[in-house]
Every structure is written in structure tokens, then in C-alpha cells.
Amino acid sequence: MFHLFDFLIYCFITAYTPGANNLLSMSNAARLGFRRSMRFNMGILAGFIIVMAICAIFSATMYAALPKVKIIMHSLGAVYMLYLAWKVWKSSVHINADGGKEASFLSGLLLQFVNPKIYIYAITAMTLYILPVFHSTVAIVGFTLLLAVIGASGSFIWALFGSFFCKFFSKHTKAVNLAMAILLVYCAVALFL
């Protein structure tokens, strides 16, 4: 059974919590403005699509070749979500908002290949939520694109609100992090319900 609500909670929390993409997007927008940060964010989106496709192929191949991997992936996914909940709860947001050089499309694209958060995001979503229910190529391609759009949307939102998020998180960091951490714990527990 597909748990759409749990899947979306996981995707949005993972996409919107602080990470390399989001912090760099916010920093660029705070320094340069939203429009000048768009090239970097479009690179993030392109890189996300490529990495999501690679992870979807890897996950589908592994899932088909090793059916017993499901319980291992569920357990590792739950542990990762609990770890992410802990990191989110303990994290703080600090960015450097001074002036500087505009980040390029290529730097946004290449960042995705060295960003472990999105690999784990994709493989966890694929193996825990999508592959147990959906098997057609069309569904997997559709979910791959959905994961890329949701994942990259975090950087666009953080860039859009740039300095607003910086001020908001500095005032309400603990409350926001606690709420996101609790939702991640819920997702981890729901995997086994």
C-alpha cells in the first residue's frame, strides 16, 4: 500500500531542511537577489533530475535483483530518518550574507553529484515508498521527476525568501527544528506500521 502522506512528509522535510543546496541558495539570494541566484538554482534542478534518475535506476535494479533487500532498506531508511531527525533537531542556521561572486548554473549542477543528502533522499524514497508499490517504468520515471522537483523546490524557496528565512530561523530555530524532527520520527515509525 502506498502511504502518500508519509511519502510527502518525508520528501518535503528532506527538501526543506538545511543542507548545502538550501543554504547556498539562501546565501546567494541574500547577497545577490532572487533573480541573480536563479542560474545557480536552475543548475540545482538539472543536477537533481540527473541524480534522481541515477538513484532510481540503482534502487530499481537492486530491488529487483535482491528482493530480500526490502527489510534491510526499511531498517536503514528508518535509521537514516531518525538520524536526520536528530541532526535537524540539533542544527542551527548560519549563513554568510556578504557580497560576492554570482554562482553559476554549472556550480549548482555539479554540487548535486557531491551532495550525499540527495542520494540518500532519492534511494530512501524509492526503496521505502515507491518501489514496493509501483513497478512500471512510467510510474518510476514520474516519481523520479516528482522527487527532483520537490527536492529542488527547497532551494528555490530558500532563495526566494533569502534574508527572510535567515531572520526567521535565527528567531525560531529550535521550534522549527523540533517540529521537523518529530515529523521525521513519525515517518520512521510509520514504515513499520
Side-chain angles (χ1 to χ4, degrees):
M1 180 159 102
F2 185 61
H3 298 276
L4 179 63
F5 182 68
D6 300 345
F7 168 74
L8 291 175
I9 287 173
Y10 170 73
C11 289
F12 280 101
I13 288 175
T14 305
Y16 286 81
T17 53
N21 290 339
N22 295 342
L23 294 176
L24 287 171
S25 293
M26 183 169 59
S27 178
N28 284 332
R31 288 182 302 110
L32 307 166
F34 181 73
R35 193 162 24 141
R36 288 182 59 202
S37 71
M38 283 302 295
R39 214 175 315 174
F40 178 73
N41 288 320
M42 293 305 290
I44 287 174
L45 176 60
F48 242 105
I49 291 170
I50 294 166
V51 171
M52 292 301 110
I54 292 167
C55 289
I57 292 166
F58 169 78
S59 297
T61 303
M62 191 166 141
Y63 211 76
L66 304 167
K68 292 181 180 180
V69 80
K70 180 179 179 181
I71 189 66
I72 295 168
M73 293 309 289
H74 267 84
S75 299
L76 291 175
V79 167
Y80 167 69
M81 286 182 197
L82 293 173
Y83 167 76
L84 187 59
W86 174 257
K87 294 294 280 180
V88 166
W89 184 60
K90 290 300 214 176
S91 71
S92 63
V93 178
H94 301 288
I95 64 163
N96 181 4
D98 58 352
K101 186 179 171 193
E102 188 171 333
S104 69
F105 175 89
L106 186 60
S107 64
L109 181 118
L110 294 177
L111 174 62
Q112 305 323 294
F113 292 95
V114 296
N115 186 350
K117 182 180 174 186
I118 71 167
Y119 287 97
I120 296 169
Y121 160 73
I123 292 170
T124 302
M126 280 289 171
T127 58
L128 299 181
Y129 295 109
I130 299 164
L131 294 173
V133 179
F134 300 97
H135 307 289
S136 74
T137 303
V138 172
I140 293 175
V141 168
F143 277 109
T144 298
L145 292 174
L146 179 64
L147 286 170
V149 169
I150 292 172
S153 71
S155 66
F156 284 90
I157 295 300
W158 280 60
L160 181 65
F161 293 109
S163 63
F164 171 76
F165 269 156
C166 185
K167 290 175 186 173
F168 177 80
F169 276 128
S170 68
K171 290 180 184 175
H172 306 287
T173 301
K174 281 295 178 194
V176 170
N177 288 353
L178 179 62
M180 289 185 183
I182 289 169
L183 288 171
L184 280 168
V185 170
Y186 162 78
C187 287
V189 171
L191 290 174
F192 299 98
L193 300 178

